[in-house]
Amino acid sequence: MATFLYKLGRLSFRRRHFVALIWVALLTLAGVGAASAPAAGNSSFSIPGTEAQKAFDLLEQRFPGTSADGATARVVFKAPSGEKMTDPGNKATVQETVKELSDGSEVVRVTDPYRAKAVSKDGTIAYAQVSYKVSGMELDDAAKDALKDSAQDAREAGLTVEIGGDALQAVPHTGSSEIIGIAVAAVVLVITFGSLVAAGLPLLTALIGVGIGVSAITGLASALDLGSTTSTLAMMIGLAVGIDYALFIVSRYRAELAEGREREEAAGRAAGTAGSAVVFAGLTVVIALVGLSVVNIPMLTKMGIAAAGTVAIAVLIALTMVPALLGYAGRKVKPMGEKGKLLGRAKKQDKPAKPNLGTRWASFVVRRPVAVLLLGVIGLGAAAVPATSLELGLPDDGSQPVSTTQRRAYDLLSEGFGPGFNGPLMVVVDAKDSDDPKAVFTETGDAIKGLKDVVTVTPAQPNKAGDTATITVIPGSKPSSVTTENLVHGIRDAGAGIKADTDANVLVTGSTAMNIDVSEKLNDALVPYLVLVVGLAFLLLIVVFRSILVPLKAALGFLLSVMAALGAVVAVFQWGWLSGLMGVEQTGPVMSMMPIFMVGVVFGLAMDYEVFLVTRMREAYVHGEKPAQAVVTGFRHGARVVTAAAVIMMAVFAGFIGSSESMVKMIGFGLAIAVFFDAFVVRMAIVPAVLALLGRKAWWLPRWLDRALPNVDVEGEGLRTRTGRGNEDREPARV
């Protein structure tokens, strides 16, 4: 592989005009496609195989035309102090509002609070439910404006009016903090390279890669049903790995220049050595992201594949466009140790150069491996303690900031009708195979009334055929509580008994039941997913490092860092520690898909640093250095660059903490803190300590396995035999 990438790097350096033209053309093509593509609607959220999804599909089939997937809005009214909603003036205002809402072209129906008995017992709060033909993201601006205007008219009449539901759902925005993250990355690159030109290359190539990836996602969003979060995730990961991969290529290029090689040769060798590490690091990230498909949640699968595609583009750009841009930069990119005009030129010294910080730190770890190992493991273990209190759920209006009308509507409904009113359960009774459907409907309702935590059970509402009915159940507890989850399981257990007696199927659906099913599905998929992803990456790393213990150590270190990161997420988003600093206005359960998503993404990113750092150690060991000295050599060449890469990745991820979307905010924080733990505690402390303790055993591989594995030559050993001939065959570098 090293030889192939070496040739590719030299070719890209020589044919830089052609390479640059190809990437610019791809960016233009993707941009035009994104601009001309139809606007994407709301991404459908289906969970194949769950009871809630089966019930939803059954509703679509047995109750045609009801727009079961359409947007809903709850317009909540509260009477002024000392008045009631049943007072003639307030009643007239509400009925006028209901009439205005019914005039919308996309409105299916509007319930009158007084006919639907949607007035609280104390008479101070009432609500009207509006059902639409289309989903919240597909609802046109005129319908949303009409909803807001109707509420405003009622407010002007003296009522307190708030709007809940998904009808006012908005596309999330990331805010200015995303730009701050890129700015921090730029500063780190300038400090690392001491040159604006060298620092600008990784940023430029990363932005081109992200531009192509996100534009392609935008162009295909409507056809493939991709949600807005998909492009945000692709941007987040694409920026981080794109900058890092280019950073490693440019750093190795400068190191090769410092050894006296010509620029084209240096570009080729950088692509052959650091480029090999980039390929395998990228493969681990792609495996982790594509592996999300085993969960069988379409939205998560699409997010993973889209982000994996952006990572693949980042790898290809690092291997081709970076060498091409190095050709354009010419002598403006200085050899390692020689700074540009920005930070001043390095002064010649008669005395030997002082060992850099990476060398001094590695030497310390090699001398005190046990102490460093224990300190690192105990520290990460302490950070992981909050993860034992992990509670999973999906966000509802109760997790919105208190400044939003959705959250205020949620609180008013809880005040007037109880906390469970915000998470009603819909029970679908399929009595098509039953001899007496009406008796089954009655029996089901009576069985549900006998369960704990049930406040209200509405009469069964059959369809026209009379073979299927819906029953609405109002729990006594809030939607995200364990008590409500137990009630859902209780209804399903009761339904199993009814099926045995009457052959009728009793299914529970609704947003609350769907959230519970998603959490359980994700929990069940976590272990198989972990085995698949870690297993495939373990095999890949065996090929890279030609060792058993080094990949094993890498996997165990990852488990430490991801558990510590989950602990930090629980502490901030569930317990509320530093929540004000992070802009978390409402604490609550951690997003259901957060653990499995963090496992996938963090594992891929963790292996980046493992590959970049340890391949340098492996390279030194293969070339004759003792194991302890190889560790120090790896840090001397790689620690500064890995540190810069980690800081850049943390800055990019942290930039998404400013998002208005709670899922994006949580992912940004979780990935940023996970990179910190993995790069600076696991890879910079625990890894060298373990390698120092293992010595030569770290690089042990059974002979039969050594013969069976392909030789991918990540260390670039094959390039050493090409040095003399490569210099003769090389065309003059045009700089």
Side-chain angles (χ1 to χ4, degrees):
M1 174 177 287
T3 302
F4 169 76
L5 295 178
Y6 164 81
K7 293 178 180 178
L8 180 63
R10 287 186 61 190
L11 179 65
S12 299
F13 188 95
R14 288 198 309 271
R15 304 287 184 249
R16 47 188 170 273
H17 302 309
F18 180 69
V19 172
L21 182 62
I22 288 177
W23 285 112
V24 171
L26 287 175
L27 178 61
T28 304
L29 183 64
V32 171
S36 58
N42 188 31
S43 179
S44 59
F45 188 76
S46 62
I47 314 295
T50 61
E51 180 172 315
Q53 185 64 46
K54 291 177 182 177
F56 183 83
D57 295 339
L58 185 64
L59 283 173
E60 290 282 335
Q61 185 180 34
R62 303 288 175 83
F63 291 82
T66 57
S67 300
D69 60 343
T72 59
R74 277 180 171 177
V75 183
V76 188
F77 307 89
K78 183 176 182 180
S81 178
E83 299 181 17
K84 293 188 176 183
M85 292 304 304
T86 51
D87 293 345
N90 295 334
K91 185 174 182 179
T93 300
V94 171
Q95 289 178 331
E96 179 62 29
T97 302
V98 170
K99 183 179 179 181
E100 290 180 21
L101 291 170
S102 301
D103 293 337
S105 60
E106 294 183 322
V107 174
V108 176
R109 61 185 174 275
V110 182
T111 60
D112 186 317
Y114 304 101
R115 294 181 179 178
K117 298 180 180 180
V119 181
S120 63
K121 290 182 179 180
D122 62 5
T124 61
I125 297 174
Y127 74 91
Q129 181 151 320
V130 187
S131 300
Y132 293 90
K133 298 177 182 178
V134 296
S135 63
M137 294 296 287
E138 295 171 319
L139 201 61
D140 62 32
D141 292 337
K144 294 181 180 181
D145 291 340
L147 180 61
K148 295 176 184 177
D149 292 342
S150 299
Q152 185 58 38
D153 292 341
R155 290 190 187 104
E156 292 174 357
L159 298 178
T160 298
V161 186
E162 304 296 345
I163 304 172
D166 60 354
L168 296 182
Q169 183 178 4
V171 177
H173 61 274
T174 55
S176 59
S177 54
E178 177 188 346
I179 306 300
I180 295 174
I182 297 176
V184 171
V187 171
V188 173
L189 287 169
V190 170
I191 294 174
T192 302
F193 291 135
S195 165
L196 284 175
V197 174
L201 290 180
L203 276 177
L204 177 61
T205 54
L207 289 173
I208 291 174
V210 168
I212 294 173
V214 172
S215 295
I217 291 170
T218 303
L220 297 172
S222 178
L224 300 182
D225 191 26
L226 303 178
S228 58
T229 308
T230 303
S231 59
T232 304
L233 174 66
M235 182 188 301
M236 184 189 303
I237 297 178
L239 269 178
V241 300
I243 293 173
D244 279 6
Y245 294 165
L247 168 64
F248 281 99
I249 299 286
V250 174
S251 297
R252 187 59 184 252
Y253 172 76
R254 296 177 71 228
E256 296 293 337
L257 289 179
E259 294 183 12
R261 292 187 173 86
E262 295 295 331
R263 294 186 177 273
E264 183 183 324
E265 179 70 13
R269 295 180 71 89
T273 51
S276 297
V278 165
V279 169
F280 283 99
L283 276 176
T284 59
V285 180
V286 169
I287 288 173
L289 290 170
V290 173
L292 290 170
S293 58
V294 303
V295 183
N296 196 26
I297 295 180
M299 184 187 76
L300 199 59
T301 299
K302 293 171 185 176
M303 288 171 62
I305 293 176
T310 308
V311 172
I313 292 172
V315 171
L316 292 174
I317 283 184
L319 296 176
T320 57
M321 192 168 188
V322 170
L325 292 181
L326 289 172
Y328 283 117
R331 301 188 183 279
K332 292 180 181 179
V333 177
K334 306 295 180 183
M336 188 75 72
E338 181 180 338
K339 298 180 180 179
K341 295 179 181 180
L342 184 65
L343 299 180
R345 297 184 180 279
K347 297 180 180 178
K348 293 182 179 180
Q349 297 179 347
D350 296 331
K351 297 180 180 180
K354 182 181 179 181
N356 61 21
L357 182 60
T359 302
R360 298 197 299 273
W361 169 249
S363 300
F364 170 78
V365 174
V366 167
R367 291 196 305 269
R368 302 284 188 272
V370 176
V372 172
L373 178 60
L374 289 176
L375 185 62
V377 171
I378 292 173
L380 290 179
V385 168
T388 58
S389 302
L390 177 67
E391 296 178 9
L392 298 177
L394 288 177
D396 54 23
D397 284 347
S399 62
Q400 296 273 5
V402 293
S403 59
T404 62
T405 186
Q406 292 94 330
R407 172 60 189 280
R408 292 195 294 265
Y410 181 96
D411 292 340
L412 284 177
L413 289 172
S414 296
E415 177 187 340
F417 302 92
F421 196 79
N422 283 293
L425 305 175
M426 180 177 288
V427 179
V428 183
V429 185
D430 179 9
K432 190 174 184 179
D433 297 330
S434 176
D435 296 332
D436 189 354
K438 290 184 179 180
V440 173
F441 301 154
T442 302
E443 180 183 349
T444 303
D446 292 340
I448 295 173
K449 290 177 183 177
L451 298 176
K452 294 181 180 180
D453 200 48
V454 174
V455 175
T456 303
V457 179
T458 65
Q461 301 292 323
N463 62 349
K464 291 182 179 180
D467 59 5
T468 307
T470 60
I471 300 173
T472 301
V473 180
I474 306 298
S477 303
K478 63 181 182 179
S480 58
S481 67
V482 176
T483 307
T484 301
E485 182 178 347
N486 292 336
L487 174 59
V488 170
H489 290 303
I491 296 173
R492 288 172 174 170
D493 291 340
I498 293 172
K499 179 176 176 58
D501 296 337
T502 65
D503 289 330
N505 288 318
V506 178
L507 307 173
V508 186
T509 189
S511 59
T512 301
M514 184 72 80
N515 290 352
I516 292 170
D517 287 351
V518 170
S519 298
E520 292 178 352
K521 189 177 182 70
L522 289 167
N523 285 337
D524 293 341
L526 182 57
V527 173
Y529 172 71
L530 193 61
V531 171
L532 173 68
V533 171
V534 175
L536 288 176
F538 181 78
L539 296 176
L540 186 66
L541 292 178
I542 289 178
V543 175
V544 175
F545 296 127
R546 308 197 77 78
S547 164
I548 297 293
L549 296 180
V550 170
L552 180 61
K553 172 260 316 166
L556 294 176
F558 150 74
L559 292 176
L560 275 174
S561 59
V562 79
M563 288 303 298
L566 275 176
V569 169
V570 170
V572 173
F573 291 89
Q574 186 176 310
W575 292 0
W577 294 5
L578 301 177
S579 57
L581 182 63
M582 298 297 166
V584 181
E585 295 188 31
Q586 180 66 29
T587 59
V590 173
M591 196 86 56
S592 295
M593 61 182 67
M594 189 67 188
I596 198 166
F597 187 80
M598 279 191 65
V599 165
V601 177
V602 173
F603 181 78
L605 300 179
M607 294 305 103
D608 277 5
Y609 301 114
E610 179 75 15
V611 170
F612 289 138
L613 196 58
V614 179
T615 48
R616 268 294 196 171
M617 300 177 190
R618 167 77 181 170
E619 186 177 339
Y621 177 75
V622 167
H623 295 154
E625 292 188 8
K626 294 181 179 179
Q629 183 57 41
V631 171
V632 176
T633 300
F635 268 76
R636 182 172 70 249
H637 291 293
R640 178 184 176 89
V641 180
V642 168
T643 300
V647 172
I648 289 169
M649 195 171 281
M650 288 168 56
V652 172
F653 289 149
F656 289 84
I657 295 176
S659 173
S660 63
E661 176 69 37
S662 58
M663 179 179 176
V664 175
K665 181 189 291 288
M666 192 178 292
I667 289 175
F669 171 80
L671 295 184
I673 198 69
V675 168
F676 172 78
F677 287 144
D678 196 85
F680 293 106
V681 181
V682 175
R683 309 304 156 188
M684 291 287 189
I686 293 178
V687 165
V690 171
L691 290 178
L693 289 172
L694 291 176
R696 294 185 182 277
K697 295 178 182 178
W699 308 107
W700 171 80
L701 186 70
R703 291 185 178 180
W704 64 269
L705 185 57
D706 185 41
R707 291 192 297 269
L709 292 177
N711 183 13
V712 295
D713 189 21
V714 178
E715 301 83 18
E717 181 65 24
L719 299 182
R720 289 178 171 253
T721 61
R722 298 181 57 87
T723 303
R725 182 170 55 84
N727 288 336
E728 293 172 4
D729 295 343
R730 185 176 59 248
E731 296 180 15
R734 297 182 291 275
V735 298

